[in-house]
């Protein structure tokens, strides 16, 4: 009896905005030699993370099928799919129901590509899915430039076989050892498909479906006061990086006691700026946790406005200030960051952290602009909503992120622990 051709598929998808510009990546690997047999990636327009992940799965399954002429026959192929999307793995394994209208047709399409008995699914941590993640990001970068994805020049160097052992499995279609031809065939088949239409945005409602599991919950803590805080001076990432004041250290101790009493925080992530690191350290000492530094959580760079009050900026840079207040795309005087730039940075950080801390409660110690941005995006509010939120020093807000891409704002500007 002929042994089935065996493959490992690693697939991933991402969205810069969720929904936002999205793409997927997939790689087909020989499980014995570790050799890359085929790659697929595509920019798919505006979509959610989950849609992009399903698209990556579909592309990987099609690429594997293209490598074996009779792949649809029972016993012809055996595929192990590895993804860092718990949602896709659990749904395709039949353990979670599929309720979201955008997911159902994608899951059905994936299930039709190969016999159900030929495919198994395995969840892997994100750090073990780097190849597919890289392909997805290459596709999104290419889409941003208005181009189609093509294999990068570094692919051969990055994806050399992890083992020098000869494969004991039947060869890929074509002459023995002709993996390159099979990979080219798979890529050609995928490239010939018409461009995907932009999927609809995820369902918005009161809560997530019960089969989505526990959300990633961000407890958003603004750092304690510095000497600049009471004077309401611009204090971003391009200024003096002030330390906590006496009042700020007291505030940090207050919130540390409060969070210790609640006992729900499982991890701590902080902006690299000193005032946040000091606030995070006070909490970490109480909770017995380590602090992870995340560059994406830093405050806006306010350029020439750093250290100035609003009135002083009005006096010196009135026209620039008016333009900044009127458009999220305008940066502060002197090469600072616009709110649009900050939103892109914070969105990317959010996506990384929601994946890393899926189902967990994590404390993010950060600043006014990143917190307001996360809340605004969770609410689907326009950029001008940034100017309509109050965030006090050492205040706590919270947002929960579910596996289907929905978010729920649970708390805003709570300072009860300071009273």
């Amino acid at each position: 009896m002929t042994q089935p051709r065996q493959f490992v598929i690693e697939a991933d998808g991402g969205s810069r905005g969720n929904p936002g510009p999205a793409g997927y990546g997939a790689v087909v690997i020989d499980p014995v030699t570790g050799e890359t047999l085929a790659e697929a990636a595509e920019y798919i327009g505006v979509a959610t993370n989950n849609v992009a992940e399903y698209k990556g799965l579909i592309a990987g399954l099609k690429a594997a099928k293209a490598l074996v002429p009779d792949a649809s026959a029972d016993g012809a192929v055996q595929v192990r799919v590895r993804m860092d999307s718990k949602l896709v793995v659990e749904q395709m394994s039949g353990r979670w129901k599929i309720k979201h209208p955008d997911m159902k047709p994608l899951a059905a399409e994936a299930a039709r590509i190969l016999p159900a008995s030929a495919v198994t699914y395995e969840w892997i941590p994100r750090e073990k899915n780097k190849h597919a993640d890289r392909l997805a990001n290459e596709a999104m970068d290419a889409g941003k430039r208005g181009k189609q994805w093509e294999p990068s020049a570094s692919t051969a160097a990055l994806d050399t076989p992890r083992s020098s052992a000869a494969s004991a499995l039947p060869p890929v279609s074509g002459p023995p050892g002709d993996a390159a031809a099979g990979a080219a065939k798979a890529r050609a088949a995928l490239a010939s498909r018409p461009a995907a239409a932009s999927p609809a945005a995820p369902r918005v409602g009161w809560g997530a479906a019960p089969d989505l599991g526990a959300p990633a919950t961000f407890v958003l803590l603004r750092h304690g006061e510095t000497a600049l805080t009471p004077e309401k001076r611009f204090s971003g990432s391009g200024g003096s990086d002030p330390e906590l004041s006496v009042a700020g250290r007291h505030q940090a101790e207050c919130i540390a006691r409060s969070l210790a009493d609640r006992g729900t925080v499982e991890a701590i992530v902080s902006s690299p700026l000193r005032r946040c690191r000091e606030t995070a350290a006070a909490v970490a000492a109480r909770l017995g946790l380590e602090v992870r530094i995340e560059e994406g959580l830093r405050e806006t760079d306010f350029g020439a406005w750093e250290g100035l009050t609003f009135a002083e900026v009005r006096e010196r840079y009135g026209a620039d200030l008016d333009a900044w207040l009127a458009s999220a795309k305008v940066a502060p005087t002197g090469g600072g960051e616009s709110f649009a730039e900050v939103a892109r940075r914070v969105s990317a950080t959010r996506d990384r952290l929601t994946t890393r801390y899926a189902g967990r409660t994590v404390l993010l110690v950060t600043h006014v602009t990143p917190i307001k941005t996360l809340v605004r995006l969770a609410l689907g509010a326009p950029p001008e909503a940034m100017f309509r939120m109050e965030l006090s020093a050492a205040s706590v807000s919270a947002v929960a992120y579910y596996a289907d891409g929905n978010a729920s704002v649970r708390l805003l500007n709570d300072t009860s622990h300071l009273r």
Side-chain angles (χ1 to χ4, degrees), residues 343-362:
R344 287 192 290 272
R345 163 164 59 86
V346 170
S347 295
T349 302
R350 173 203 61 198
D351 291 347
R352 289 195 302 273
L353 294 179
T354 52
T355 299
R356 181 180 299 149
Y357 297 104
R360 302 171 66 190
T361 298
V362 55

Side-chain angles (χ1 to χ4, degrees), residues 185-211:
K185 178 181 177 183
R187 279 196 285 265
L190 289 166
S192 67
R193 291 184 298 140
S198 298
R203 182 183 67 250
V204 177
W206 277 101
D211 63 346

Side-chain angles (χ1 to χ4, degrees), residues 269-286:
V269 182
S270 173
S271 156
L273 299 184
R274 184 174 181 178
R275 52 200 183 269
C276 286
R277 288 188 285 108
E278 291 177 343
T279 304
V283 178
R286 287 269 183 175

